[in-house]
Amino acid sequence: MKLLKFPYLVQKEILQNVEPSYLLLLSSVSKNLKKLIKSSQLNRFKSTDFIRYECCYRKRVFVYVFPRDCRPKEVLRFVEREKTDEGHFKLNVLGETIDFQMSKQGNLVSMFHEEEKEMVIQSIHNYFLDFFGNSMEYQWMARHYTYSIPRLRNLSSCFDMTIVDLEWEDDENLENFFAYCPVWKCINIYFPCMYDIFTPESKIHLAESVKIHEHFATPILSHFKGKQLVINHTFCKFSELVEFVNKWKSGESFHKLEYLRIQKNLLEFPQTHFFNEIGAKYIPATRIPPIHTLLKVHVEDDRELNTDPIISHAYVVRETDNRVASVMIQGKTMSFGVWDMTEEEFLSMVDYFQIYFVGRIISS
Protein backbone atom coordinates (compact mmCIF):
# COMPACT_ATOMS: atom_id res chain seq x y z
CA MET A 1 0.00 0.00 0.00
CA LYS A 2 1.50 3.32 -1.08
CA LEU A 3 0.44 5.35 1.93
CA LEU A 4 2.07 8.61 0.82
CA LYS A 5 -0.16 8.75 -2.29
CA PHE A 6 -3.40 8.89 -0.30
CA PRO A 7 -5.05 12.22 0.67
CA TYR A 8 -3.88 13.56 4.02
CA LEU A 9 -7.17 12.88 5.83
CA VAL A 10 -7.07 9.25 4.67
CA GLN A 11 -3.44 8.96 5.74
CA LYS A 12 -4.30 10.39 9.15
CA GLU A 13 -7.22 8.02 9.65
CA ILE A 14 -5.12 5.00 8.72
CA LEU A 15 -2.25 5.97 11.02
CA GLN A 16 -4.65 6.74 13.85
CA ASN A 17 -5.53 3.04 13.94
CA VAL A 18 -1.95 1.77 13.83
CA GLU A 19 -0.42 0.53 17.09
CA PRO A 20 2.48 2.62 18.49
CA SER A 21 4.96 -0.20 17.88
CA TYR A 22 4.14 -0.24 14.17
CA LEU A 23 4.22 3.56 13.98
CA LEU A 24 7.82 3.43 15.13
CA LEU A 25 8.62 0.77 12.57
CA LEU A 26 6.93 2.73 9.77
CA SER A 27 8.80 5.90 10.76
CA SER A 28 12.07 4.17 9.90
CA VAL A 29 11.02 3.60 6.27
CA SER A 30 11.67 7.16 5.08
CA LYS A 31 12.04 10.73 6.29
CA ASN A 32 8.80 11.72 4.56
CA LEU A 33 6.82 8.95 6.26
CA LYS A 34 8.33 9.82 9.62
CA LYS A 35 7.38 13.47 9.11
CA LEU A 36 3.82 12.46 8.14
CA ILE A 37 3.41 10.29 11.24
CA LYS A 38 4.69 13.03 13.57
CA SER A 39 2.40 15.70 12.08
CA SER A 40 -0.74 13.56 11.75
CA GLN A 41 -0.41 11.97 15.21
CA LEU A 42 0.47 15.14 17.10
CA ASN A 43 -2.77 15.17 19.12
CA ARG A 44 -2.39 11.48 19.85
CA PHE A 45 1.09 12.05 21.26
CA LYS A 46 -0.12 15.03 23.30
CA SER A 47 -2.79 12.84 24.90
CA THR A 48 -0.12 10.41 26.10
CA ASP A 49 0.67 10.94 29.79
CA PHE A 50 4.16 9.45 29.70
CA ILE A 51 6.41 6.75 28.28
CA ARG A 52 7.79 4.25 30.77
CA TYR A 53 10.72 1.84 30.63
CA GLU A 54 9.99 -1.20 32.81
CA CYS A 55 13.16 -2.96 33.89
CA CYS A 56 12.54 -6.54 35.06
CA TYR A 57 14.80 -9.22 36.49
CA ARG A 58 15.72 -11.10 33.31
CA LYS A 59 17.81 -8.36 31.74
CA ARG A 60 14.80 -7.29 29.72
CA VAL A 61 13.37 -3.81 29.43
CA PHE A 62 9.81 -3.21 28.22
CA VAL A 63 8.74 0.20 26.90
CA TYR A 64 5.10 1.27 27.26
CA VAL A 65 3.14 4.34 26.25
CA PHE A 66 0.47 5.43 28.74
CA PRO A 67 -2.41 7.04 26.82
CA ARG A 68 -4.73 9.17 28.93
CA ASP A 69 -7.92 7.39 27.90
CA CYS A 70 -6.95 3.71 27.65
CA ARG A 71 -4.65 1.02 28.97
CA PRO A 72 -0.84 1.16 28.52
CA LYS A 73 0.46 -0.24 25.24
CA GLU A 74 3.80 -1.85 24.61
CA VAL A 75 5.94 0.03 22.10
CA LEU A 76 9.18 -1.90 22.23
CA ARG A 77 11.20 -4.33 24.29
CA PHE A 78 14.95 -4.70 24.73
CA VAL A 79 16.31 -8.25 25.07
CA GLU A 80 19.76 -9.76 25.17
CA ARG A 81 20.53 -11.71 22.01
CA GLU A 82 20.62 -15.48 21.94
CA LYS A 83 22.69 -17.58 19.57
CA THR A 84 19.55 -19.00 18.00
CA ASP A 85 17.95 -15.66 17.12
CA GLU A 86 16.12 -15.93 13.83
CA GLY A 87 14.02 -13.59 11.72
CA HIS A 88 15.91 -10.49 12.77
CA PHE A 89 16.44 -7.42 10.61
CA LYS A 90 18.66 -4.38 10.83
CA LEU A 91 17.60 -0.74 11.07
CA ASN A 92 19.64 2.43 11.13
CA VAL A 93 18.80 4.35 14.30
CA LEU A 94 20.44 7.78 14.33
CA GLY A 95 23.59 6.42 12.72
CA GLU A 96 23.73 3.16 14.69
CA THR A 97 22.86 -0.19 13.10
CA ILE A 98 20.64 -2.12 15.49
CA ASP A 99 19.10 -5.58 15.20
CA PHE A 100 15.33 -5.99 15.58
CA GLN A 101 12.71 -8.67 15.27
CA MET A 102 8.95 -8.94 15.79
CA SER A 103 7.67 -10.86 18.80
CA LYS A 104 4.91 -13.48 18.54
CA GLN A 105 2.54 -10.82 19.91
CA GLY A 106 3.48 -8.50 17.06
CA ASN A 107 5.63 -6.12 19.14
CA LEU A 108 8.94 -4.62 18.10
CA VAL A 109 11.97 -6.18 19.80
CA SER A 110 15.45 -4.65 19.95
CA MET A 111 18.22 -7.23 20.39
CA PHE A 112 21.74 -6.62 21.65
CA HIS A 113 24.83 -8.27 23.02
CA GLU A 114 25.71 -7.27 26.58
CA GLU A 115 28.48 -4.90 25.48
CA GLU A 116 26.03 -3.11 23.13
CA LYS A 117 23.23 -2.58 25.64
CA GLU A 118 24.10 0.99 26.65
CA MET A 119 24.55 2.12 23.06
CA VAL A 120 21.32 0.48 21.87
CA ILE A 121 19.15 1.91 24.64
CA GLN A 122 20.66 5.37 24.30
CA SER A 123 20.22 5.45 20.51
CA ILE A 124 16.59 4.34 20.66
CA HIS A 125 15.83 6.74 23.53
CA ASN A 126 17.23 9.62 21.47
CA TYR A 127 15.01 8.46 18.61
CA PHE A 128 12.01 8.60 20.98
CA LEU A 129 12.93 12.17 21.89
CA ASP A 130 12.84 13.11 18.22
CA PHE A 131 9.73 11.04 17.41
CA PHE A 132 7.48 11.70 20.44
CA GLY A 133 9.05 15.03 21.40
CA ASN A 134 11.16 16.52 24.20
CA SER A 135 8.06 17.63 26.10
CA MET A 136 6.95 14.02 26.63
CA GLU A 137 7.65 12.62 30.10
CA TYR A 138 9.98 9.62 30.09
CA GLN A 139 10.28 7.37 33.14
CA TRP A 140 12.56 4.47 33.99
CA MET A 141 10.81 2.13 36.42
CA ALA A 142 13.34 -0.11 38.18
CA ARG A 143 11.85 -3.17 39.90
CA HIS A 144 15.14 -4.22 41.48
CA TYR A 145 18.33 -2.51 42.59
CA THR A 146 20.82 -4.93 40.96
CA TYR A 147 20.54 -3.25 37.53
CA SER A 148 21.70 0.33 37.22
CA ILE A 149 19.52 3.01 35.62
CA PRO A 150 21.02 4.51 32.45
CA ARG A 151 21.60 8.24 32.36
CA LEU A 152 19.46 9.42 29.48
CA ARG A 153 18.17 12.85 28.52
CA ASN A 154 14.78 13.87 29.92
CA LEU A 155 14.57 10.64 31.94
CA SER A 156 13.02 10.44 35.42
CA SER A 157 14.14 7.65 37.74
CA CYS A 158 11.54 5.55 39.59
CA PHE A 159 11.88 2.56 41.90
CA ASP A 160 9.20 0.08 42.96
CA MET A 161 10.15 -3.04 44.90
CA THR A 162 8.82 -5.43 47.49
CA ILE A 163 11.42 -6.74 49.95
CA VAL A 164 10.17 -9.82 51.78
CA ASP A 165 13.33 -11.45 53.11
CA LEU A 166 13.35 -11.17 56.90
CA GLU A 167 17.12 -11.83 56.88
CA TRP A 168 17.74 -8.74 54.77
CA GLU A 169 21.36 -7.60 54.97
CA ASP A 170 21.83 -5.61 51.77
CA ASP A 171 21.23 -2.07 53.02
CA GLU A 172 24.54 -0.81 51.61
CA ASN A 173 23.90 -1.98 48.03
CA LEU A 174 20.37 -0.61 48.10
CA GLU A 175 21.56 2.75 49.39
CA ASN A 176 24.35 2.83 46.77
CA PHE A 177 21.68 2.23 44.12
CA PHE A 178 19.70 5.23 45.38
CA ALA A 179 22.84 7.36 45.53
CA TYR A 180 23.71 6.57 41.89
CA CYS A 181 20.76 8.62 40.63
CA PRO A 182 21.02 12.27 41.70
CA VAL A 183 17.27 12.90 41.32
CA TRP A 184 14.44 10.46 42.00
CA LYS A 185 10.91 11.06 40.81
CA CYS A 186 9.35 8.34 42.92
CA ILE A 187 10.36 5.56 45.30
CA ASN A 188 7.89 2.89 46.36
CA ILE A 189 9.14 0.21 48.76
CA TYR A 190 7.43 -2.43 50.86
CA PHE A 191 9.37 -3.41 53.99
CA PRO A 192 8.00 -6.11 56.30
CA CYS A 193 10.30 -4.92 59.11
CA MET A 194 12.66 -2.08 59.98
CA TYR A 195 15.80 -1.59 57.89
CA ASP A 196 18.38 1.06 58.59
CA ILE A 197 18.59 2.77 55.21
CA PHE A 198 16.73 5.99 56.04
CA THR A 199 19.81 7.93 57.16
CA PRO A 200 19.62 11.74 57.00
CA GLU A 201 21.97 11.65 53.98
CA SER A 202 19.88 9.12 52.03
CA LYS A 203 18.71 10.13 48.56
CA ILE A 204 15.33 8.61 49.45
CA HIS A 205 14.42 11.81 51.29
CA LEU A 206 15.04 13.87 48.14
CA ALA A 207 12.59 11.96 45.93
CA GLU A 208 9.57 13.96 44.78
CA SER A 209 7.22 11.14 45.77
CA VAL A 210 7.78 8.36 48.32
CA LYS A 211 5.42 5.56 49.24
CA ILE A 212 6.57 3.09 51.86
CA HIS A 213 5.06 0.29 53.88
CA GLU A 214 7.14 0.57 57.05
CA HIS A 215 6.65 -0.35 60.68
CA PHE A 216 8.64 2.67 61.89
CA ALA A 217 8.04 5.97 60.09
CA THR A 218 10.29 8.21 62.18
CA PRO A 219 13.38 8.41 59.88
CA ILE A 220 11.55 9.19 56.64
CA LEU A 221 9.05 11.48 58.37
CA SER A 222 11.85 13.47 60.01
CA HIS A 223 14.00 14.05 56.93
CA PHE A 224 11.67 14.03 53.92
CA LYS A 225 12.27 16.92 51.52
CA GLY A 226 9.99 15.96 48.63
CA LYS A 227 6.43 16.77 47.63
CA GLN A 228 4.24 13.74 48.32
CA LEU A 229 4.67 11.10 51.03
CA VAL A 230 2.51 8.07 51.84
CA ILE A 231 3.37 5.78 54.77
CA ASN A 232 1.26 2.65 55.31
CA HIS A 233 1.14 0.25 58.25
CA THR A 234 3.31 2.18 60.65
CA PHE A 235 3.73 2.33 64.43
CA CYS A 236 4.25 6.09 64.24
CA LYS A 237 3.98 7.74 67.66
CA PHE A 238 1.46 10.45 68.44
CA SER A 239 4.26 12.82 69.50
CA GLU A 240 6.08 12.34 66.19
CA LEU A 241 3.07 13.47 64.20
CA VAL A 242 2.59 16.50 66.45
CA GLU A 243 6.28 17.35 65.94
CA PHE A 244 5.89 16.97 62.17
CA VAL A 245 2.96 19.42 62.01
CA ASN A 246 4.69 21.91 64.30
CA LYS A 247 7.86 21.84 62.18
CA TRP A 248 5.76 22.54 59.09
CA LYS A 249 3.87 25.34 60.85
CA SER A 250 7.10 27.04 61.97
CA GLY A 251 8.64 26.78 58.50
CA GLU A 252 11.55 24.78 59.90
CA SER A 253 11.07 21.80 57.56
CA PHE A 254 8.99 20.28 54.75
CA HIS A 255 9.10 23.39 52.56
CA LYS A 256 8.16 21.50 49.35
CA LEU A 257 5.57 19.20 50.92
CA GLU A 258 2.20 19.10 49.14
CA TYR A 259 0.58 15.94 50.46
CA LEU A 260 1.08 13.45 53.29
CA ARG A 261 -0.92 10.39 54.30
CA ILE A 262 0.00 8.17 57.25
CA GLN A 263 -1.85 4.99 58.10
CA LYS A 264 -1.22 3.48 61.54
CA ASN A 265 -1.11 -0.22 62.26
CA LEU A 266 -2.96 -0.43 65.56
CA LEU A 267 -4.60 2.37 67.54
CA GLU A 268 -6.72 5.06 65.93
CA PHE A 269 -5.66 8.70 66.07
CA PRO A 270 -7.15 10.62 69.03
CA GLN A 271 -8.67 13.30 66.80
CA THR A 272 -9.66 15.98 69.35
CA HIS A 273 -6.44 15.64 71.33
CA PHE A 274 -4.34 15.76 68.17
CA PHE A 275 -6.06 18.89 66.84
CA ASN A 276 -5.57 20.58 70.22
CA GLU A 277 -1.85 19.72 70.27
CA ILE A 278 -1.18 21.12 66.79
CA GLY A 279 -3.19 24.29 67.41
CA ALA A 280 -5.67 23.57 64.62
CA LYS A 281 -8.05 26.22 63.39
CA TYR A 282 -11.55 25.39 62.20
CA ILE A 283 -13.89 26.27 59.40
CA PRO A 284 -17.34 26.77 61.04
CA ALA A 285 -19.41 23.60 61.13
CA THR A 286 -22.12 25.38 59.14
CA ARG A 287 -19.69 25.94 56.26
CA ILE A 288 -18.72 23.51 53.51
CA PRO A 289 -14.98 22.64 53.62
CA PRO A 290 -13.10 22.67 50.30
CA ILE A 291 -11.76 19.42 48.84
CA HIS A 292 -7.98 19.14 48.72
CA THR A 293 -6.66 16.92 45.92
CA LEU A 294 -3.62 17.15 43.66
CA LEU A 295 -2.21 15.50 40.60
CA LYS A 296 0.05 12.69 41.74
CA VAL A 297 3.74 13.14 41.11
CA HIS A 298 3.82 9.43 40.28
CA VAL A 299 0.92 7.67 38.57
CA GLU A 300 0.81 4.07 39.76
CA ASP A 301 -0.49 1.01 37.97
CA ASP A 302 -4.05 1.75 39.14
CA ARG A 303 -3.91 4.84 36.89
CA GLU A 304 -5.44 7.04 39.59
CA LEU A 305 -4.18 10.48 38.59
CA ASN A 306 -5.07 12.37 41.79
CA THR A 307 -4.24 12.03 45.46
CA ASP A 308 -7.00 10.86 47.79
CA PRO A 309 -9.30 13.80 48.62
CA ILE A 310 -9.01 15.57 51.97
CA ILE A 311 -12.28 17.07 53.23
CA SER A 312 -11.86 18.56 56.68
CA HIS A 313 -12.98 21.54 58.75
CA ALA A 314 -9.58 21.55 60.54
CA TYR A 315 -6.54 23.36 59.19
CA VAL A 316 -3.21 24.84 60.27
CA VAL A 317 -1.31 27.90 59.06
CA ARG A 318 2.43 28.21 58.36
CA GLU A 319 3.94 31.15 60.18
CA THR A 320 6.54 32.10 57.56
CA ASP A 321 4.21 32.66 54.59
CA ASN A 322 0.66 32.26 55.97
CA ARG A 323 0.07 29.16 53.83
CA VAL A 324 -2.72 26.76 54.83
CA ALA A 325 -2.79 22.97 55.18
CA SER A 326 -5.96 20.93 55.66
CA VAL A 327 -5.67 18.18 58.29
CA MET A 328 -7.99 15.18 58.33
CA ILE A 329 -8.24 12.25 60.74
CA GLN A 330 -10.17 9.13 59.70
CA GLY A 331 -9.71 6.25 62.12
CA LYS A 332 -6.09 5.10 61.78
CA THR A 333 -5.27 7.49 58.93
CA MET A 334 -4.04 11.08 59.05
CA SER A 335 -4.01 13.15 55.86
CA PHE A 336 -2.25 16.49 55.43
CA GLY A 337 -2.75 18.61 52.30
CA VAL A 338 -1.01 21.93 51.65
CA TRP A 339 -2.88 24.66 49.76
CA ASP A 340 -1.03 27.11 47.54
CA MET A 341 -2.83 30.03 49.13
CA THR A 342 -2.79 32.22 52.22
CA GLU A 343 -5.31 31.88 55.04
CA GLU A 344 -7.26 34.86 53.72
CA GLU A 345 -7.44 33.35 50.23
CA PHE A 346 -8.37 29.97 51.70
CA LEU A 347 -11.27 31.38 53.74
CA SER A 348 -12.46 33.40 50.75
CA MET A 349 -12.60 30.13 48.79
CA VAL A 350 -14.67 28.60 51.60
CA ASP A 351 -17.12 31.50 51.33
CA TYR A 352 -17.28 31.04 47.56
CA PHE A 353 -18.05 27.33 47.87
CA GLN A 354 -20.72 28.10 50.45
CA ILE A 355 -22.46 30.56 48.13
CA TYR A 356 -22.09 28.22 45.14
CA PHE A 357 -23.47 25.09 46.78
CA VAL A 358 -26.26 26.85 48.67
CA GLY A 359 -27.26 28.55 45.43
CA ARG A 360 -27.40 25.19 43.62
CA ILE A 361 -29.50 23.65 46.40
CA ILE A 362 -31.99 26.54 46.28
CA SER A 363 -32.21 26.47 42.49
CA SER A 364 -32.85 22.74 42.44
Side-chain angles (χ1 to χ4, degrees), residues 37-252:
I37 293 172
K38 288 174 63 176
S39 62
S40 67
Q41 302 303 297
L42 186 61
N43 289 335
R44 184 177 177 182
F45 294 164
K46 285 182 177 179
S47 66
T48 299
D49 287 325
F50 52 88
I51 293 174
R52 177 180 290 171
Y53 296 83
E54 289 271 355
C55 183
C56 64
Y57 302 101
R58 298 180 180 177
K59 295 186 178 181
R60 296 191 172 199
V61 180
F62 296 82
V63 186
Y64 298 92
V65 295
F66 281 70
R68 198 162 299 146
D69 56 353
C70 59
R71 298 180 64 181
K73 297 183 178 181
E74 184 179 327
V75 177
L76 175 80
R77 67 181 67 169
F78 297 92
V79 301
E80 192 168 347
R81 287 197 61 165
E82 299 176 359
K83 293 180 180 179
T84 57
D85 284 337
E86 296 181 358
H88 65 274
F89 53 91
K90 297 181 183 294
L91 292 177
N92 184 294
V93 181
L94 300 181
E96 300 288 350
T97 301
I98 298 175
D99 287 339
F100 292 88
Q101 68 178 15
M102 301 305 295
S103 71
K104 293 179 180 179
Q105 296 77 27
N107 294 311
L108 193 60
V109 180
S110 170
M111 301 177 299
F112 56 85
H113 295 293
E114 180 60 31
E115 65 273 13
E116 302 172 322
K117 182 178 180 180
E118 183 177 344
M119 177 275 293
V120 169
I121 292 178
Q122 185 172 53
S123 297
I124 293 179
H125 178 74
N126 288 337
Y127 191 87
F128 286 167
L129 290 173
D130 177 58
F131 186 72
F132 293 107
N134 287 312
S135 59
M136 178 72 71
E137 180 180 350
Y138 299 88
Q139 299 178 0
W140 185 283
M141 176 59 72
R143 302 292 182 180
H144 203 269
Y145 61 91
T146 52
Y147 304 116
S148 61
I149 297 177
R151 301 199 174 191
L152 304 172
R153 288 191 296 141
N154 290 25
L155 187 72
S156 299
S157 301
C158 305
F159 183 72
D160 190 337
M161 182 180 176
T162 298
I163 300 174
V164 296
D165 185 0
L166 296 179
E167 302 298 325
W168 173 267
E169 294 180 352
D170 209 7
D171 293 357
E172 183 177 352
N173 286 335
L174 182 59
E175 183 53 40
N176 288 339
F177 174 79
F178 289 137
Y180 177 78
C181 291
V183 179
W184 284 94
K185 185 178 184 68
C186 77
I187 294 175
N188 184 6
I189 314 177
Y190 176 81
F191 284 159
C193 58
M194 178 60 182
Y195 301 127
D196 188 23
I197 66 168
F198 297 110
T199 61
E201 297 78 22
S202 173
K203 290 292 180 68
I204 292 177
H205 306 301
L206 300 177
E208 287 188 62
S209 172
V210 172
K211 183 178 181 181
I212 60 172
H213 306 258
E214 236 299 7
H215 284 305
F216 298 94
T218 308
I220 185 71
L221 187 60
S222 300
H223 305 296
F224 186 64
K225 295 179 175 61
K227 294 181 178 180
Q228 298 177 8
L229 175 62
V230 175
I231 306 174
N232 292 325
H233 310 300
T234 179
F235 290 111
C236 185
K237 297 178 182 178
F238 177 84
S239 59
E240 293 169 347
L241 290 179
V242 172
E243 182 182 5
F244 154 76
V245 176
N246 287 334
K247 281 186 175 181
W248 182 88
K249 285 178 61 181
S250 68
E252 178 183 344

Side-chain angles (χ1 to χ4, degrees), residues 298-310:
H298 169 59
V299 179
E300 300 176 75
D301 294 335
D302 59 13
R303 298 306 307 277
E304 288 292 331
L305 299 180
N306 297 323
T307 57
D308 291 343
I310 300 174

